[in-house]
Amino acid sequence: PSMVSETIRWQTPLAYMRRTALQDYELGGKTIRKGDKVVMWYVSGNRDDEVIENPNSYIIDRERPRQHLSFGFGIHRCVGNRLAELQLKILWEEILQRFPEIQVVSEPERVYSSFVKGYESMQVVIPSRL
Ligand code: HEM
């Protein structure tokens, strides 16, 4: 049940969003000034070992799998997050019912973007189906 959330954390499909600071603020020893444009690297927060245990590992039975930043945080947090989780849950349920084994046969090609952390293509072989 936790695999989808862990995949969304580990992959972090959107690497960041940007905000404009409304007031001066101290963060991690740095001063952010009012009007500064700030990039919030979700992909970095999702690998923060002060908050997430063993963050570089893909662990599908984490205790709190929904504790991640892939959907952002605060009032603009992704309004479609539950739908996205439901779609991926159904997709994986259907895939795993049909295909017991999926072999990745070459290095995936990544999308050329600093924003979208996705794949252009990934070649697989599915040796048999149930
Ligand atoms: C895995 C899939 C998805 C990811 C990783 C994702 C990620 C995000 C992120 C990072 C934000 C920005 C949060 C912020 O600025 O603080 C966002 C906003 C938003 N997302 Fe998603 N999203 C996903 C799927 C969806 C789906 C399926 C829908 C609609 C059905 C959706 C609708 C929206 C909308 C409307 C916003 C803007 C919310 C606002 O500004 O108040 N997203 N999403």
Side-chain angles (χ1 to χ4, degrees), residues 75-92:
I75 56 166
H76 288 290
R77 186 163 191 268
C78 176
V79 80
N81 76 85
R82 289 292 189 176
L83 177 62
E85 287 174 348
L86 183 63
Q87 287 179 324
L88 288 167
K89 180 171 177 283
I90 292 168
L91 188 78
W92 276 106

mmCIF file of all heavy atoms in Angstrom, residues 75-92:
data_model
loop_
_atom_site.group_PDB
_atom_site.id
_atom_site.type_symbol
_atom_site.label_atom_id
_atom_site.label_comp_id
_atom_site.label_asym_id
_atom_site.label_seq_id
_atom_site.Cartn_x
_atom_site.Cartn_y
_atom_site.Cartn_z
ATOM 1 N N ILE A 75 -0.376 26.266 1.264
ATOM 2 C CA ILE A 75 -1.694 26.468 0.644
ATOM 3 C C ILE A 75 -1.747 26.059 -0.828
ATOM 4 O O ILE A 75 -2.816 25.802 -1.354
ATOM 5 C CB ILE A 75 -2.205 27.933 0.781
ATOM 6 C CG1 ILE A 75 -1.194 28.913 0.194
ATOM 7 C CG2 ILE A 75 -2.562 28.270 2.213
ATOM 8 C CD1 ILE A 75 -1.792 30.298 0.000
ATOM 9 N N HIS A 76 -0.603 25.996 -1.501
ATOM 10 C CA HIS A 76 -0.614 25.591 -2.910
ATOM 11 C C HIS A 76 -0.297 24.122 -3.104
ATOM 12 O O HIS A 76 -0.092 23.675 -4.237
ATOM 13 C CB HIS A 76 0.348 26.457 -3.719
ATOM 14 C CG HIS A 76 -0.175 27.842 -3.902
ATOM 15 N ND1 HIS A 76 -1.253 28.122 -4.716
ATOM 16 C CD2 HIS A 76 0.193 29.009 -3.338
ATOM 17 C CE1 HIS A 76 -1.508 29.421 -4.666
ATOM 18 N NE2 HIS A 76 -0.646 29.987 -3.824
ATOM 19 N N ARG A 77 -0.263 23.371 -1.999
ATOM 20 C CA ARG A 77 0.030 21.926 -2.121
ATOM 21 C C ARG A 77 -0.895 21.314 -3.171
ATOM 22 O O ARG A 77 -2.078 21.653 -3.246
ATOM 23 C CB ARG A 77 -0.190 21.253 -0.767
ATOM 24 C CG ARG A 77 0.220 19.803 -0.759
ATOM 25 C CD ARG A 77 0.375 19.294 0.681
ATOM 26 N NE ARG A 77 1.007 17.984 0.676
ATOM 27 C CZ ARG A 77 0.327 16.847 0.658
ATOM 28 N NH1 ARG A 77 -0.990 16.851 0.665
ATOM 29 N NH2 ARG A 77 0.962 15.691 0.626
ATOM 30 N N CYS A 78 -0.327 20.455 -3.972
ATOM 31 C CA CYS A 78 -1.029 19.887 -5.132
ATOM 32 C C CYS A 78 -2.464 19.473 -4.792
ATOM 33 O O CYS A 78 -2.697 18.621 -3.947
ATOM 34 C CB CYS A 78 -0.267 18.669 -5.646
ATOM 35 S SG CYS A 78 -1.116 17.852 -7.003
ATOM 36 N N VAL A 79 -3.400 20.075 -5.528
ATOM 37 C CA VAL A 79 -4.810 19.803 -5.257
ATOM 38 C C VAL A 79 -5.193 18.410 -5.793
ATOM 39 O O VAL A 79 -6.187 17.839 -5.369
ATOM 40 C CB VAL A 79 -5.665 20.949 -5.855
ATOM 41 C CG1 VAL A 79 -5.870 20.780 -7.334
ATOM 42 C CG2 VAL A 79 -6.985 21.101 -5.131
ATOM 43 N N GLY A 80 -4.368 17.880 -6.691
ATOM 44 C CA GLY A 80 -4.684 16.572 -7.273
ATOM 45 C C GLY A 80 -3.941 15.427 -6.642
ATOM 46 O O GLY A 80 -3.906 14.328 -7.192
ATOM 47 N N ASN A 81 -3.350 15.658 -5.445
ATOM 48 C CA ASN A 81 -2.434 14.631 -4.908
ATOM 49 C C ASN A 81 -3.120 13.291 -4.639
ATOM 50 O O ASN A 81 -2.581 12.240 -4.936
ATOM 51 C CB ASN A 81 -1.650 15.156 -3.704
ATOM 52 C CG ASN A 81 -2.444 15.243 -2.421
ATOM 53 O OD1 ASN A 81 -2.563 14.290 -1.693
ATOM 54 N ND2 ASN A 81 -3.015 16.411 -2.135
ATOM 55 N N ARG A 82 -4.335 13.340 -4.117
ATOM 56 C CA ARG A 82 -5.017 12.065 -3.828
ATOM 57 C C ARG A 82 -5.415 11.350 -5.114
ATOM 58 O O ARG A 82 -5.396 10.122 -5.195
ATOM 59 C CB ARG A 82 -6.257 12.323 -2.954
ATOM 60 C CG ARG A 82 -5.927 12.723 -1.528
ATOM 61 C CD ARG A 82 -5.313 11.573 -0.778
ATOM 62 N NE ARG A 82 -5.189 11.869 0.639
ATOM 63 C CZ ARG A 82 -4.744 11.003 1.536
ATOM 64 N NH1 ARG A 82 -4.367 9.805 1.176
ATOM 65 N NH2 ARG A 82 -4.649 11.349 2.799
ATOM 66 N N LEU A 83 -5.810 12.129 -6.130
ATOM 67 C CA LEU A 83 -6.163 11.522 -7.417
ATOM 68 C C LEU A 83 -4.927 10.885 -8.048
ATOM 69 O O LEU A 83 -4.987 9.763 -8.570
ATOM 70 C CB LEU A 83 -6.763 12.575 -8.361
ATOM 71 C CG LEU A 83 -7.109 12.069 -9.766
ATOM 72 C CD1 LEU A 83 -8.177 10.982 -9.703
ATOM 73 C CD2 LEU A 83 -7.581 13.216 -10.652
ATOM 74 N N ALA A 84 -3.803 11.602 -7.991
ATOM 75 C CA ALA A 84 -2.561 11.066 -8.558
ATOM 76 C C ALA A 84 -2.209 9.740 -7.869
ATOM 77 O O ALA A 84 -1.856 8.756 -8.530
ATOM 78 C CB ALA A 84 -1.429 12.080 -8.385
ATOM 79 N N GLU A 85 -2.319 9.715 -6.536
ATOM 80 C CA GLU A 85 -2.000 8.480 -5.800
ATOM 81 C C GLU A 85 -2.948 7.349 -6.207
ATOM 82 O O GLU A 85 -2.526 6.213 -6.406
ATOM 83 C CB GLU A 85 -2.116 8.717 -4.285
ATOM 84 C CG GLU A 85 -0.995 9.552 -3.717
ATOM 85 C CD GLU A 85 -1.208 9.884 -2.244
ATOM 86 O OE1 GLU A 85 -2.326 9.662 -1.711
ATOM 87 O OE2 GLU A 85 -0.265 10.378 -1.619
ATOM 88 N N LEU A 86 -4.238 7.677 -6.339
ATOM 89 C CA LEU A 86 -5.229 6.656 -6.687
ATOM 90 C C LEU A 86 -4.962 6.097 -8.084
ATOM 91 O O LEU A 86 -4.999 4.878 -8.298
ATOM 92 C CB LEU A 86 -6.639 7.257 -6.611
ATOM 93 C CG LEU A 86 -7.800 6.292 -6.882
ATOM 94 C CD1 LEU A 86 -7.849 5.186 -5.829
ATOM 95 C CD2 LEU A 86 -9.126 7.057 -6.900
ATOM 96 N N GLN A 87 -4.665 6.993 -9.045
ATOM 97 C CA GLN A 87 -4.388 6.535 -10.411
ATOM 98 C C GLN A 87 -3.193 5.597 -10.429
ATOM 99 O O GLN A 87 -3.215 4.549 -11.081
ATOM 100 C CB GLN A 87 -4.097 7.737 -11.319
ATOM 101 C CG GLN A 87 -5.326 8.556 -11.648
ATOM 102 C CD GLN A 87 -4.991 9.753 -12.532
ATOM 103 O OE1 GLN A 87 -3.926 10.365 -12.380
ATOM 104 N NE2 GLN A 87 -5.881 10.086 -13.435
ATOM 105 N N LEU A 88 -2.127 5.978 -9.718
ATOM 106 C CA LEU A 88 -0.921 5.150 -9.727
ATOM 107 C C LEU A 88 -1.148 3.829 -8.992
ATOM 108 O O LEU A 88 -0.621 2.788 -9.384
ATOM 109 C CB LEU A 88 0.250 5.920 -9.113
ATOM 110 C CG LEU A 88 0.767 7.046 -10.011
ATOM 111 C CD1 LEU A 88 1.694 7.973 -9.241
ATOM 112 C CD2 LEU A 88 1.485 6.473 -11.225
ATOM 113 N N LYS A 89 -1.949 3.866 -7.927
ATOM 114 C CA LYS A 89 -2.262 2.635 -7.193
ATOM 115 C C LYS A 89 -2.988 1.653 -8.130
ATOM 116 O O LYS A 89 -2.613 0.488 -8.226
ATOM 117 C CB LYS A 89 -3.145 2.977 -5.986
ATOM 118 C CG LYS A 89 -3.549 1.800 -5.138
ATOM 119 C CD LYS A 89 -4.218 2.317 -3.861
ATOM 120 C CE LYS A 89 -4.723 1.173 -2.999
ATOM 121 N NZ LYS A 89 -5.977 0.589 -3.502
ATOM 122 N N ILE A 90 -4.006 2.153 -8.838
ATOM 123 C CA ILE A 90 -4.772 1.279 -9.740
ATOM 124 C C ILE A 90 -3.876 0.776 -10.870
ATOM 125 O O ILE A 90 -3.897 -0.411 -11.216
ATOM 126 C CB ILE A 90 -6.008 2.036 -10.291
ATOM 127 C CG1 ILE A 90 -7.002 2.306 -9.155
ATOM 128 C CG2 ILE A 90 -6.677 1.243 -11.412
ATOM 129 C CD1 ILE A 90 -8.115 3.275 -9.495
ATOM 130 N N LEU A 91 -3.067 1.674 -11.427
ATOM 131 C CA LEU A 91 -2.162 1.287 -12.513
ATOM 132 C C LEU A 91 -1.257 0.124 -12.089
ATOM 133 O O LEU A 91 -1.136 -0.883 -12.789
ATOM 134 C CB LEU A 91 -1.322 2.494 -12.912
ATOM 135 C CG LEU A 91 -0.452 2.346 -14.135
ATOM 136 C CD1 LEU A 91 -1.296 2.472 -15.387
ATOM 137 C CD2 LEU A 91 0.637 3.413 -14.141
ATOM 138 N N TRP A 92 -0.637 0.260 -10.895
ATOM 139 C CA TRP A 92 0.288 -0.784 -10.438
ATOM 140 C C TRP A 92 -0.438 -2.060 -10.048
ATOM 141 O O TRP A 92 0.063 -3.163 -10.287
ATOM 142 C CB TRP A 92 1.186 -0.262 -9.308
ATOM 143 C CG TRP A 92 2.345 0.461 -9.904
ATOM 144 C CD1 TRP A 92 2.551 1.805 -9.939
ATOM 145 C CD2 TRP A 92 3.431 -0.128 -10.627
ATOM 146 N NE1 TRP A 92 3.697 2.087 -10.636
ATOM 147 C CE2 TRP A 92 4.267 0.930 -11.065
ATOM 148 C CE3 TRP A 92 3.789 -1.438 -10.948
ATOM 149 C CZ2 TRP A 92 5.422 0.701 -11.815
ATOM 150 C CZ3 TRP A 92 4.947 -1.664 -11.691
ATOM 151 C CH2 TRP A 92 5.751 -0.604 -12.097
#
